[in-house]
């Protein structure tokens, strides 16, 4: 019996694979390596380079490895890119996920865990945002993930697949043991950008918007350590295996930090007072998104270990240093 991890060579997926192997699981990774890296796949997992939409390949993998569960990370994740290329996002995230879900059903896979996003909530009216609050995505990225949520729910209901949908808040940090981390070039996420600036890979960075209705005028986000996030998947899988009902759950810590607080933390942890400019708002940024995480905690017993912004930043910095050495 194996677990098929799609996108297992990517940022979050590569952390998941380490966690699963440590838990004694047999792991098959399916990744087309467009944004992932072969070196990021832990030794001990089988890497198959291919596409989740290749139903002949996926069907063969499910049968050959007796795949019991699929953890589906593969997809496109850049919100502004989804605005300029919506059809690409609906293809990659929605259409291709449909093909994968169909293979799961046909192949008799028991459990399916899907990486969804807080972007399905759009601009929440209140925080913390709960799973049953209004769903109003404001980007093609959020819509493309929401459509997959709906397909998965309907297919699971019709065909007896058990599922977990996890809506990620702001994922950051890196493997505490330094084996993998966020490695994408041209990353746009705040902690990654700030860490690159601290290490001199960028001359300066911008704060996008300083007049939001928040305590210091900059946006609030719920930053979650990537290792805590992947542990939530492992806990959820254990819950589903015990016969737990299918579920949709937020993955965040339930507290927010402002952009300025994050930058301050990166300066403090790195010891570098890098250049920061106050800039215009970035289109589409909600003022605040913070998770209500009661459901995942109550359901699966998930207990975060790295709920500390300095620790998250410290691990991100350590990985960035390693990555710079790797590239030189
Ligand atoms: N942000 C910023 N400067 C940057 C990158 C991000 O001020 O160089 C802000 C962004 O406007 C948002 C917050 O940081 O308010 C988190 O953005 P990120 O892209 O990390 O994640 P998002 O919440 O958009 O998924």
């Amino acid at each position: 019996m194996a677990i098929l991890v799609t996108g297992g060579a990517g940022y979050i997926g590569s952390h998941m694979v380490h966690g699963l192997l440590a838990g004694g699981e047999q792991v098959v990774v399916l990744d087309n390596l467009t944004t992932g890296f072969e070196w990021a796949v832990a030794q001990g997992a089988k890497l198959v380079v291919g596409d989740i939409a290749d139903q002949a390949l996926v069907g063969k993998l499910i049968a050959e490895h007796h795949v019991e569960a699929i953890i589906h990370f593969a997809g496109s994740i850049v919100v502004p890119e989804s605005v300029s290329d919506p059809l690409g996002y609906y293809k990659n995230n929605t259409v291709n996920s449909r093909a994968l879900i169909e293979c799961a059903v046909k192949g008799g896979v028991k459990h399916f865990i899907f990486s969804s996003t807080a972007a399905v909530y759009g601009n929440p009216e209140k925080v913390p945002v709960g799973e049953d609050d209004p769903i109003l995505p404001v980007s093609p990225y959020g819509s493309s993930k929401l459509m997959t949520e709906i397909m998965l729910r309907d297919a699971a209901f019709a065909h007896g697949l058990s599922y977990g949908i996890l809506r990620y808040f702001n994922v950051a940090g890196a493997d505490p043991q330094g084996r993998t981390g966020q490695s994408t070039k041209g990353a746009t996420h705040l902690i990654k950008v700030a860490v690159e600036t601290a290490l001199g890979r960028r001359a300066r960075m911008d704060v996008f918007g300083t007049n939001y209705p928040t305590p210091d005028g900059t946006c609030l986000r719920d930053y979650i350590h990537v290792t805590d996030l992947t542990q939530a998947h492992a806990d959820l899988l254990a819950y589903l295996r015990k016969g737990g009902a299918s579920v949709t759950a937020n993955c965040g810590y339930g507290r927010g930090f402002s952009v300025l607080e994050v930058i301050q933390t990166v300066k403090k942890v790195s010891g570098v007072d890098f250049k920061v400019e106050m800039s215009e708002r970035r289109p589409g940024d909600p003022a605040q998104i913070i998770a209500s995480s009661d459901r995942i905690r109550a359901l699966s017993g998930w207990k975060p270990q790295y709920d500390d912004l300095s620790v998250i930043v410290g691990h991100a910095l350590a990985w960035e240093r390693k990555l710079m050495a790797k590239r030189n």
Side-chain angles (χ1 to χ4, degrees), residues 170 188-191 193 205-208 219 221 223 259 282 285:
N170 288 62
T188 57
H189 289 135
L190 178 64
I191 292 184
V193 169
M205 67 170 291
D206 294 297
V207 173
F208 298 136
C219 294
R221 294 289 182 274
Y223 297 91
V259 174
R282 192 174 68 173
D285 276 341

Side-chain angles (χ1 to χ4, degrees), residues 289-302:
I289 320 181
I290 297 163
S292 157
S293 57
D294 298 347
R295 186 177 287 177
I296 183 77
R297 289 175 198 261
L299 198 87
S300 69
W302 176 62

Side-chain angles (χ1 to χ4, degrees), residues 4-9 27-33 38 41 45-52 54 57-58 60-61 64-65:
L4 178 64
V5 179
T6 74
V27 181
V28 179
V29 168
L30 178 62
D31 199 301
N32 64 12
L33 299 182
E38 196 171 341
V41 178
K46 179 181 171 59
L47 169 64
V48 177
V49 179
D51 227 275
I52 59 163
D54 183 345
L57 173 66
V58 175
K60 189 167 138 273
L61 289 178
E64 257 177 20
H65 299 279

Side-chain angles (χ1 to χ4, degrees), residues 33 36 51 95 126 132 154 178 190 222 237 243 246 260 276 279:
L33 299 182
D51 227 275
V95 176
K126 62 158 190 62
D132 299 325
D154 290 347
L190 178 64
D222 189 341
L237 181 59
S246 294
L260 292 179
V276 177
S279 303

Side-chain angles (χ1 to χ4, degrees), residues 20-324:
L20 290 171
L21 291 173
E25 304 283 359
Q26 190 192 328
V27 181
V28 179
V29 168
L30 178 62
D31 199 301
N32 64 12
L33 299 182
T34 50
T35 53
F37 302 92
E38 196 171 341
W39 55 255
V41 178
Q43 295 236 325
K46 179 181 171 59
L47 169 64
V48 177
V49 179
D51 227 275
I52 59 163
D54 183 345
Q55 289 194 312
L57 173 66
V58 175
K60 189 167 138 273
L61 289 178
I62 291 172
E64 257 177 20
H65 299 279
H66 308 286
V67 170
E68 176 217 5
I70 296 179
I71 308 184
H72 176 34
F73 295 101
S76 304
I77 59 156
V78 182
V79 174
E81 190 181 65
S82 79
V83 176
S84 56
D85 179 23
L87 296 178
Y89 270 65
Y90 291 127
K91 167 94 177 53
N92 215 13
N93 289 353
T94 313
V95 176
N96 291 357
S97 292
R98 186 209 160 276
L100 180 70
I101 295 167
E102 187 168 57
C103 287
V105 167
K106 286 191 176 154
V109 172
K110 289 200 175 71
H111 313 293
F112 196 107
I113 297 182
F114 171 56
S115 55
S116 189
T117 168
V120 299
Y121 298 114
N123 295 292
E125 270 174 27
K126 62 158 190 62
V127 293
V129 60
E131 291 85 353
D132 299 325
D133 285 353
I135 299 295
L136 281 169
V138 293
S139 66
Y141 168 67
S143 300
S144 71
K145 289 281 187 175
L146 177 60
M147 288 182 194
T148 304
E149 287 194 6
I150 294 168
M151 287 190 301
L152 180 56
R153 253 179 245 142
D154 290 347
F157 179 75
H159 304 291
L161 183 68
S162 91
Y163 70 80
I165 292 169
L166 291 179
R167 293 181 179 151
Y168 306 165
F169 283 63
N170 288 62
V171 188
D175 177 41
Q177 296 179 48
R179 298 167 297 184
T180 184
Q182 170 65 277
S183 310
T184 325
K185 282 191 182 146
T188 57
H189 289 135
L190 178 64
I191 292 184
K192 175 83 173 169
V193 169
V195 156
E196 286 179 353
T197 315
L199 297 184
R201 292 181 61 79
R202 295 171 189 251
R204 45 157 264 212
M205 67 170 291
D206 294 297
V207 173
F208 298 136
T210 53
N211 57 357
Y212 285 97
T214 57
D216 68 14
T218 66
C219 294
L220 298 177
R221 294 289 182 274
D222 189 341
Y223 297 91
I224 173 173
H225 193 294
V226 61
T227 300
D228 279 338
L229 177 72
T230 54
Q231 186 58 47
H233 293 66
D235 293 346
L236 186 67
L237 181 59
Y239 156 87
L240 294 174
R241 278 173 166 166
K242 278 190 268 171
S246 294
V247 67
T248 300
N250 287 339
C251 267
Y253 292 136
R255 48 95 187 108
F257 287 102
S258 73
V259 174
L260 292 179
E261 285 171 327
V262 169
I263 292 174
Q264 220 28 59
T265 306
V266 174
K267 286 187 172 183
K268 195 164 152 227
V269 176
S270 66
V272 183
D273 186 15
F274 51 87
K275 192 169 172 205
V276 177
E277 289 200 357
M278 302 301 148
S279 303
E280 293 301 303
R281 290 184 178 196
R282 192 174 68 173
D285 276 341
Q288 45 180 335
I289 320 181
I290 297 163
S292 157
S293 57
D294 298 347
R295 186 177 287 177
I296 183 77
R297 289 175 198 261
L299 198 87
S300 69
W302 176 62
K303 283 195 187 64
Q305 287 184 66
Y306 304 104
D307 179 1
D308 180 331
L309 189 59
S310 299
V311 171
I312 294 175
V313 165
H315 290 161
L317 270 165
W319 176 252
E320 200 60 40
R321 286 197 184 97
K322 231 176 173 163
L323 201 58
M324 282 168 72

